[in-house]
């Protein structure tokens, strides 16, 4: 739990400001994702918090685009500046929110690294560090 879990609302948006959103209610700690899809979409690592879908309100939607990146998820991005914003799984139990798109300060902490087994060959990670999982969940 972080202070943000108990807090009210936090804003966020893309680089150019065309897409803005607000999250009312608790945000999950941050997961750093080392998967190949996040690598291409983010340029290196994906960093995501998450919230219940009904807690997210996209207030400026005109440039919000969705790309179906797999059978089980879509990625939301700004059509104007290309910023990655959301990762929405088909099961709908939560929506992941790009940590870098959140306004500062977030009050969040990095909790875990996921899909470490899929990391790029130039990534150096500390194998002794906790919460480095080979896949999307704890082994
Ligand atoms: Zn933008
Ligand atoms: Zn990923």
């Amino acid at each position: 739990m972080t202070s943000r879990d108990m807090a009210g609302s936090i804003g966020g948006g893309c680089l150019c400001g065309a897409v803005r959103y607000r999250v009312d209610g608790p945000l999950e700690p941050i997961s750093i994702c080392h998967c190949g899809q996040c690598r291409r979409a983010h340029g290196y690592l994906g960093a995501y918090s998450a919230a219940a879908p009904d807690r997210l309100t996209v207030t400026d939607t005109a440039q919000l685009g969705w790309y179906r990146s797999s059978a089980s998820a879509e990625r939301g991005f700004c059509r104007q500046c290309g910023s990655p914003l959301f990762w929405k799984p088909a099961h709908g139990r939560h929506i992941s929110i790009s940590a870098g798109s959140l306004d500062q300060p977030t009050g969040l902490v990095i909790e875990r690294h996921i899909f470490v087994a899929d990391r790029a060959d130039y990534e150096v990670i500390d194998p002794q560090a906790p919460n480095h999982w080979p896949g999307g969940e704890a082994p």
Side-chain angles (χ1 to χ4, degrees):
M1 298 284 281
T2 70
S3 58
R4 181 59 64 189
D5 291 323
M6 297 299 173
S9 133
I10 185 170
C14 65
L15 176 60
C16 76
V19 180
R20 289 290 303 173
Y21 64 82
R22 191 182 73 246
V23 183
D24 297 294
L27 275 170
E28 296 292 323
I30 294 168
S31 292
I32 304 293
C33 186
H34 297 252
C35 84
Q37 291 192 358
C38 283
R39 185 159 56 247
R40 290 192 188 277
H42 290 258
Y44 188 34
L45 307 174
Y48 286 98
S49 180
D54 62 353
R55 300 292 186 159
L56 172 69
T57 304
V58 182
T59 49
D60 294 284
T61 62
Q63 294 297 326
L64 179 61
W66 289 97
Y67 171 66
R68 180 166 288 284
S69 54
S70 76
S72 56
E74 291 179 278
R75 289 173 182 266
F77 61 96
C78 175
R79 293 183 186 278
Q80 185 160 283
C81 70
S83 300
L85 295 168
F86 308 118
W87 184 87
K88 184 169 69 176
H91 61 62
R93 290 190 293 273
H94 69 266
I95 185 163
S96 294
I97 299 166
S98 174
S101 71
L102 290 164
D103 295 341
Q104 290 287 312
T106 68
L108 298 175
V109 296
I110 294 171
E111 180 185 64
R112 58 185 181 164
H113 291 248
I114 59 175
F115 291 105
V116 170
D118 296 340
R119 67 188 181 277
D121 56 5
Y122 46 77
E123 286 185 51
V124 177
I125 59 168
D126 178 1
Q128 303 303 316
N131 301 317
H132 280 70
W133 298 345
E137 299 296 335

